[in-house]
Amino acid sequence: MHRDSVSLNSYEEMAEYYFSYVDRKPFNAYYERPATLSLLPDVAGKRVLDAGCAAGWYTQWLLDKGAAVTAVDFSAGMIEMTRKRVGERAEIIRADLNEPLDFMAKESCDIVLSSLALHYLKDWTLVMSEFHRILAKGGLLIFSVHHPFMDFTVFQRDNYFLTELLDDEWETQKGKVKVQFYRRPLSQILSAVLEAGFLLEKVLEPMPTEEFKSAQPDAYRRLTYKPQFLFLRARKP
């Protein structure tokens, strides 16, 4: 794996947890997914890269909607969970988004979907260039990441304009797991997309759903005041 890969061991440790719980975790099921899915077109017959597939929820959804899917993740455990979920229906490859996607041909993809994965990368220059390369003309890049406002305020950072590595702890059924990721200002998120040659089509800072309110009313109220994730859709001209 790449020298800048962070949280690999964390995700290896959490692979079974993700497979068992992520389908119904409120922040995923009732906040992140509705927003991401709202940015997707009809995927039937489309060639889709699930970039950072984790335990394969999006891979399965895309397959069920008629897409041809290539799913990648840097965690062998997550690759195993995705394969457990969808079998041989998708092409599932262990790959680090910090590295070139050499197994993907130029303009071989119609949609790149990346859910809550890119904040584990320190530098987005290569990954955005690779996404642009593998997308056909008119192809879509759709992704979600931590909202820069959220990371800056929750982790009480001093300088908003830095790109810096943060440490967090997540509760799992086996106890706490340390997770690291990068925060960066909004300007760096947008610049990386635009400088790779994409046209920005949509930016979402969504409200949580009613299902989220039922599951976690206190967190629901907070999300109506302070965003947790940021969602973007961009197109290759």
Side-chain angles (χ1 to χ4, degrees):
M1 291 290 109
H2 193 272
R3 69 181 184 278
D4 285 330
S5 298
V6 298
S7 291
L8 174 58
N9 292 337
S10 306
Y11 275 97
E12 297 288 29
E13 186 176 348
M14 291 191 294
E16 291 278 358
Y17 165 74
Y18 255 68
F19 184 81
S20 300
Y21 292 97
V22 78
D23 288 15
R24 57 186 185 274
K25 280 184 65 179
F27 274 92
N28 296 89
Y30 307 135
Y31 182 58
E32 193 277 336
R33 283 186 209 130
T36 295
L37 295 177
S38 77
L39 295 175
L40 281 165
D42 181 2
V43 300
K46 301 295 187 183
R47 302 162 297 171
V48 184
L49 173 66
D50 186 358
C53 61
W57 189 93
Y58 279 104
T59 297
Q60 182 178 33
W61 186 91
L62 290 161
L63 289 167
D64 290 347
K65 297 296 183 181
V69 183
T70 300
V72 303
D73 202 278
F74 72 161
S75 162
M78 291 297 190
I79 289 294
E80 182 183 345
M81 293 303 105
T82 299
R83 191 165 280 118
K84 182 177 178 180
R85 189 189 287 266
V86 303
E88 301 301 316
R89 296 169 64 200
E91 185 174 7
I92 305 170
I93 300 169
R94 187 183 182 193
D96 190 334
L97 296 176
N98 285 294
E99 303 282 359
L101 304 174
D102 293 334
F103 50 90
M104 300 283 292
K106 182 180 179 182
E107 298 186 0
S108 62
C109 202
D110 301 303
I111 300 169
V112 172
L113 171 64
S114 184
S115 167
L116 300 178
L118 294 175
H119 43 256
Y120 297 104
L121 279 61
K122 183 178 182 180
D123 187 345
W124 285 14
T125 306
L126 175 64
V127 70
M128 288 298 162
S129 175
E130 283 293 271
F131 287 167
H132 192 273
R133 178 184 67 82
I134 66 175
L135 277 169
K137 291 179 176 63
L140 292 174
L141 167 63
I142 295 163
F143 67 88
S144 60
V145 290
H146 287 184
H147 197 291
F149 172 85
M150 184 272 290
D151 281 343
F152 179 68
T153 55
V154 169
F155 292 89
Q156 300 180 324
R157 308 313 297 170
D158 294 324
N159 187 346
Y160 169 80
F161 295 102
L162 292 179
T163 295
E164 55 188 340
L165 188 63
L166 301 181
D167 295 334
D168 199 3
E169 281 190 335
W170 293 359
E171 291 285 354
T172 75
Q173 86 280 22
K174 295 181 180 178
K176 292 182 178 180
V177 177
K178 180 183 175 182
V179 180
Q180 293 183 303
F181 48 83
Y182 290 96
R183 62 154 297 273
R184 72 201 77 224
L186 178 62
S187 58
Q188 286 199 18
I189 292 173
L190 299 179
S191 294
V193 176
L194 296 171
E195 289 171 7
F198 287 102
L199 299 176
L200 192 60
E201 285 195 342
K202 199 159 189 179
V203 177
L204 286 185
E205 296 172 308
M207 291 292 105
T209 61
E210 286 300 310
E211 292 92 342
F212 191 103
K213 185 178 184 179
S214 298
Q216 292 192 6
D218 291 341
Y220 175 90
R221 184 179 184 281
R222 175 170 59 81
L223 289 175
T224 63
Y225 287 84
K226 299 177 180 179
Q228 183 90 2
F229 303 140
L230 179 71
F231 302 79
L232 278 79
R233 185 176 71 202
R235 185 179 298 273
K236 179 177 177 177

